[in-house]
Amino acid sequence: MEGDHGKMLPPSPGTFVDREELIQHVGDFAVSQGYVVTIKQSKRDRVVVLGCDRGGVYRNRRKSADESSAECTRRRKTGTRLTNCPFEAVGKKDDGLWVLTIKNGTHNHEPIKDISEHPSARRFTEREILIIKEMTEAGLKPRQILKRLRQSNPDLLSTPKHVYNVKAKLRQGNMTVRNFKSLGPQKSAVRNNYLAVTKPSWRQRNPPRVPNLIGGRFVDSQSFTSIDVLNPATQRVVSQVPITTIEEFKAAVFAAKRAFPLWQNTPIVTRQRIMFKFQELIHRDIDKLARIITAEHGKTLKDAYGDVLRGLEEVEHACGLATLQIGEFVSNVSNGTDSYSIREPLGVCAGICPFDFPAMIPLWMFPISVTCGNTFILKPSEKDPGAAVMLAELAVEAGLPNGVLNIVHGTNDIVNAICDDDDIKAVSFVGPNAAGAYVYARASTKGKRIQSNVGAKNHAVVMPDASVEATLNALVAAGFGAAGQKCMALSTVVFVGGLNPWEDKLVEHAKAIKVNEGTESDADLGPVISKQAKEQICRLVQTGVDTGAKLVLDGRNIVVPGYEHGNFIGPTILSNVTINMECYKEEFFGPVLLCMRAESIEEAINVVNRNKYGNGASIFTTSGVAARKFQTEIEVGQVGINVPISVPLPFSSFTSCKPSFAGDLNLDGKAGIQFYTRGKTVTQQWKDLPGSNDASLAMASS
């Protein structure tokens, strides 16, 4: 008997953002084990005690006669007394979060064979009661209400009579209808309907405070520390980013870990359908996404739309992931033995994002990861988190279950926590070189998979026979687009044979670029992300001038009318740059183009290969021989021939080499799928073995 009771395990302790999530966690796990929990005691803002709603066992009880009173001498009848189940879980509020502990994890009864037979299976959740109230006020009848509720929760067992009873109590002003927290996984649509009833606190602030996403809920952080997100063109505070507490981070990881078992067993076609809906919603809200990117990052609306659309390609790629995860099967590898390979998700994965592509980089990471069956922790850049949060809202609206995608904000402490947490199995990082090296070293020592995409110094080699106008247009677009704030921006041009006649024409094309605030219709180039970034760019330009470079176009002192406080830098060109100059060695991340000369293609290739960064390089030429030599001998991850930025589409991996990338598997394509999954080989034998009492110690063979 005791052994049977032991089969019912208690839920795992953890940290939750609110009381309801804690109750739901305990309730969902209890159902999976064959028991039902109920609230035994509750002080709503401080503590909740949960017990088992199973009656327990009856035991015989006989009270002995009172021998001291002769007149009362008699034997009492044999009776019974109900012994309650000893299971008890306690949730307490501590520093704004709810902590679950298991006081007694044992039971004194058998598991419930059919959970639907338990009375609690027909109770409504608090959120469903709120929805019933709304629909009642709208004039809907019980059958209509029940039909709507079942669209969001097909497992709902309640009848129209139960809806009528709830309506009657609501008419009496009784909102404390007895309920049980979610016998099945809570559906996103129900949650969204509930959120529509009450406006979250983080939206009520002015400026708004960016929320965390933990366990399917967008919640304001308990942290008192926050960072202002400034519009780079106006210095206006767009929003505030909280420095997420470590307790909140642990709650996010716990939510992701809790969601993983059910999500990994969700059919791949179901996960794909969510991605189909997700890409539809991104198309619907692309204008909002582009505007928040421009407001926080500063790039022009045209560049912001491109940011979203390149990320959208990744979501579209995830919609067809099933065929890319197909394994291999070998029949009859031995006598009656088959062998096949499959790919399985890792568990909880995490992504750390930079500021340069607020939409594209998050979409490089979590759509592929979650469609592979993982759950995900995303840390957007603290400089422009708005697009990532908006994408998360759309993912939840698309039907992504609670806990599959979580968002935490912060700086160094959260990065360290991601690297150190044992429950996080893989980390994707895109960002500066020093930070990338640190993340790679710290995460890899914890045994995590890590892909770290860092600094870039992308080169273009221009041959004397290159098409002049097409080459100049490409150089200007790649060098100054998005104010040079992108990992594949073109920062250095090596002119084979000399700078003439290229230099004057390059300056002429650069001067035609219109510098303005990103939402202005004539804007070609917006501000850089921050005043600190502008100061660093100006400093590097000045070091180039001080060490012998020629400043042929200076955009450092540009002033945009109406936006005098903006972080604007106009197109800037330095020529006669050498490989020993600091401005060449360091990454600019700004609208600055460095011009060098080489006597031959061999010298130009050597210049590129000696640089410490290895993201990409391009050649502009009409010679197939020169192009073939370049693509063969150049040592970078991305090679362009008559194209300036050779970033591939999602079905081809984003490949980098040398210090620009650390790790074994790149983003995108098959490599990205392999990064977020592990291989497993299964060998099976189905045959009638001849009867024998002798065990063979020989290696199996055909």
Side-chain angles (χ1 to χ4, degrees):
M1 186 74 173
E2 187 64 35
D4 291 336
H5 301 160
K7 291 180 180 178
M8 293 187 289
L9 302 174
S12 54
T15 306
F16 302 84
V17 294
D18 57 26
R19 172 180 175 272
E20 284 68 31
E21 187 187 7
L22 182 147
I23 295 172
Q24 181 188 335
H25 165 64
V26 178
D28 287 348
F29 187 86
V31 169
S32 71
Q33 296 293 308
Y35 62 97
V36 174
V37 294
T38 187
I39 298 175
K40 294 173 61 176
Q41 180 184 349
S42 176
K43 295 179 180 178
R44 192 167 187 86
D45 294 330
R46 287 183 292 171
V47 66
V48 59
V49 180
L50 303 173
C52 180
D53 200 26
R54 192 72 168 149
V57 297
Y58 286 91
R59 70 180 183 187
N60 290 334
R61 183 185 183 214
R62 182 186 299 274
K63 290 189 177 181
S64 60
D66 187 354
E67 301 295 342
S68 63
S69 301
E71 67 275 10
C72 296
T73 302
R74 61 185 177 86
R75 295 187 63 84
R76 298 186 178 181
K77 294 181 180 180
T78 300
T80 57
R81 186 183 69 177
L82 181 66
T83 304
N84 291 328
C85 179
F87 173 85
E88 190 169 276
V90 179
K92 289 185 178 180
K93 193 172 184 180
D94 184 18
D95 290 335
L97 295 172
W98 285 79
V99 179
L100 172 66
T101 56
I102 307 302
K103 189 173 180 180
N104 191 330
T106 61
H107 298 265
N108 59 3
H109 58 86
E110 301 292 335
I112 302 171
K113 294 181 179 179
D114 187 357
I115 204 74
S116 65
E117 296 300 319
H118 195 279
S120 62
R122 299 183 183 275
R123 297 177 191 155
F124 295 107
T125 66
E126 292 177 9
R127 292 168 181 169
E128 287 169 334
I129 291 169
L130 286 172
I131 295 169
I132 292 172
K133 182 175 184 292
E134 283 188 321
M135 292 182 179
T136 299
E137 292 171 351
L140 274 69
K141 298 185 181 300
R143 288 187 182 278
Q144 295 172 314
I145 294 174
L146 196 61
K147 184 177 180 181
R148 297 282 183 89
L149 291 174
R150 283 177 177 161
Q151 289 176 352
S152 302
N153 184 6
D155 299 327
L156 188 64
L157 298 173
S158 300
T159 65
K161 181 179 179 181
H162 294 102
V163 178
Y164 180 83
N165 291 338
V166 171
K167 289 177 63 176
K169 291 186 178 182
L170 290 173
R171 281 195 298 269
Q172 297 168 6
N174 180 11
M175 282 295 291
T176 59
V177 181
R178 190 181 179 196
N179 65 86
F180 172 73
K181 300 303 297 181
S182 188
L183 277 171
Q186 195 165 21
K187 303 297 187 294
S188 297
V190 174
R191 180 178 67 252
N192 291 337
N193 287 336
Y194 171 72
L195 290 177
V197 177
T198 57
K199 190 175 182 181
S201 62
W202 55 271
R203 286 196 186 278
Q204 297 174 6
R205 295 177 181 242
N206 187 23
R209 199 164 190 243
V210 181
N212 290 321
L213 172 59
I214 301 176
R217 291 177 174 84
F218 290 93
V219 291
D220 194 3
S221 173
Q222 299 297 318
S223 171
F224 294 105
T225 307
S226 60
I227 300 171
D228 288 341
V229 178
L230 302 178
N231 184 317
T234 64
Q235 305 308 313
R236 179 178 63 86
V237 178
V238 178
S239 61
Q240 292 182 321
V241 182
I243 303 299
T244 301
T245 66
I246 295 301
E247 290 75 18
E248 290 167 334
F249 169 77
K250 290 179 179 178
V253 174
F254 184 74
K257 184 180 179 182
R258 189 173 75 244
F260 175 66
L262 183 62
W263 181 241
Q264 74 164 333
N265 290 317
T266 300
I268 180 66
V269 291
T270 302
R271 301 198 295 258
Q272 284 184 156
R273 288 190 190 109
I274 293 174
M275 288 298 111
F276 273 112
K277 181 64 176 178
F278 185 38
Q279 64 93 19
E280 176 189 325
L281 296 175
I282 292 174
H283 275 295
R284 184 195 71 187
D285 288 356
I286 190 170
D287 292 341
K288 295 179 183 178
L289 285 163
R291 288 193 172 277
I292 191 65
I293 290 171
T294 297
E296 293 183 346
H297 179 281
K299 63 175 67 176
T300 64
L301 274 177
K302 182 179 179 181
D303 278 333
Y305 277 105
D307 188 337
V308 179
L309 289 171
R310 287 310 299 265
L312 186 61
E313 292 171 351
E314 200 70 47
V315 180
E316 293 167 344
H317 180 55
C319 291
L321 210 60
T323 56
L324 299 175
Q325 284 191 277
I326 293 176
E328 298 173 334
F329 187 93
V330 181
S331 177
N332 209 38
V333 292
S334 183
N335 214 357
T337 303
D338 303 326
S339 181
Y340 60 92
S341 64
I342 56 177
R343 300 207 68 83
E344 296 181 334
L346 303 175
V348 182
C349 300
I352 303 170
C353 300
F355 74 85
D356 49 341
F357 287 99
M360 186 184 77
I361 301 296
L363 291 175
W364 271 6
M365 296 178 179
F366 78 81
I368 294 294
S369 179
V370 301
T371 310
C372 284
N374 300 291
T375 54
F376 206 82
I377 308 290
L378 182 71
K379 194 206 87 65
S381 170
E382 65 277 10
K383 297 177 181 177
D384 48 11
V389 172
M390 191 176 296
L391 288 169
E393 289 179 311
L394 297 181
V396 170
E397 184 180 346
L400 212 58
N402 294 354
V404 173
L405 175 63
N406 303 270
I407 291 183
V408 292
H409 303 283
T411 53
N412 297 344
D413 287 344
I414 295 300
V415 171
N416 289 338
I418 289 173
C419 293
D420 295 343
D421 195 287
D422 292 333
D423 288 323
I424 294 176
K425 306 303 180 185
V427 178
S428 298
F429 174 88
V430 179
N433 189 47
Y438 174 82
V439 169
Y440 179 80
R442 185 157 183 159
S444 59
T445 57
K446 293 289 184 176
K448 302 183 191 301
R449 288 193 182 186
I450 175 73
Q451 50 182 200
S452 179
N453 296 267
V454 295
K457 197 78 172 181
N458 303 304
H459 294 68
V461 173
V462 178
M463 300 298 291
D465 62 350
S467 173
V468 176
E469 198 63 25
T471 300
L472 289 170
N473 288 335
L475 296 179
V476 167
F480 304 124
Q485 298 176 114
K486 49 188 178 182
C487 61
M488 291 305 294
L490 186 61
S491 61
T492 305
V493 186
V494 182
F495 293 96
V496 176
L499 296 175
N500 293 323
W502 296 98
E503 185 177 292
D504 293 340
K505 293 180 179 180
L506 185 61
V507 170
E508 182 182 337
H509 278 68
K511 284 182 176 179
I513 294 175
K514 180 68 174 178
V515 180
N516 209 335
E517 193 271 338
T519 60
E520 299 289 345
S521 59
D522 62 347
D524 297 318
L525 191 155
V528 296
I529 189 71
S530 65
K531 289 190 177 297
Q532 294 81 2
K534 179 178 179 178
E535 291 170 359
Q536 171 69 356
I537 294 166
C538 293
R539 185 190 69 79
L540 285 173
V541 170
Q542 190 59 45
T543 63
V545 174
D546 294 342
T547 52
K550 178 184 176 184
L551 186 61
V552 295
L553 183 62
D554 188 357
R556 291 176 292 176
N557 298 317
I558 191 170
V559 176
V560 177
Y563 301 98
E564 289 80 9
H565 299 292
N567 309 321
F568 293 98
I569 299 179
T572 300
I573 300 175
L574 286 168
S575 67
N576 297 333
V577 175
T578 64
I579 60 174
N580 296 320
M581 293 180 178
E582 183 183 358
C583 64
Y584 174 74
K585 294 178 180 179
E586 298 300 322
E587 186 179 14
F588 261 102
F589 233 61
V592 180
L593 204 55
L594 307 181
C595 297
M596 307 174 70
R597 65 182 301 275
E599 296 299 329
S600 64
I601 187 173
E602 289 81 8
E603 183 182 347
I605 290 173
N606 185 52
V607 168
V608 178
N609 288 344
R610 288 177 61 186
N611 189 270
K612 65 180 180 179
Y613 298 113
N615 256 5
S618 300
I619 186 170
F620 292 87
T621 181
T622 56
S623 168
V625 174
R628 187 169 181 81
K629 179 181 178 65
F630 183 83
Q631 77 173 49
T632 302
E633 297 181 13
I634 207 74
E635 297 173 2
V636 297
Q638 311 284 338
V639 177
I641 298 175
N642 294 322
V643 292
I645 302 178
S646 52
V647 178
L649 291 172
F651 43 78
S652 300
S653 292
F654 183 92
T655 49
S656 298
C657 60
K658 296 194 293 190
S660 289
F661 175 77
D664 297 321
L665 295 164
N666 293 92
L667 293 163
D668 291 339
K670 291 183 179 179
I673 296 169
Q674 290 170 353
F675 177 79
Y676 288 119
T677 57
R678 63 167 64 91
K680 178 183 287 184
T681 300
V682 180
T683 303
Q684 60 183 10
Q685 185 181 72
W686 303 106
K687 68 176 183 178
D688 293 328
L689 297 174
S692 174
N693 295 326
D694 297 328
S696 174
L697 300 182
M699 182 180 295
S701 66
S702 59

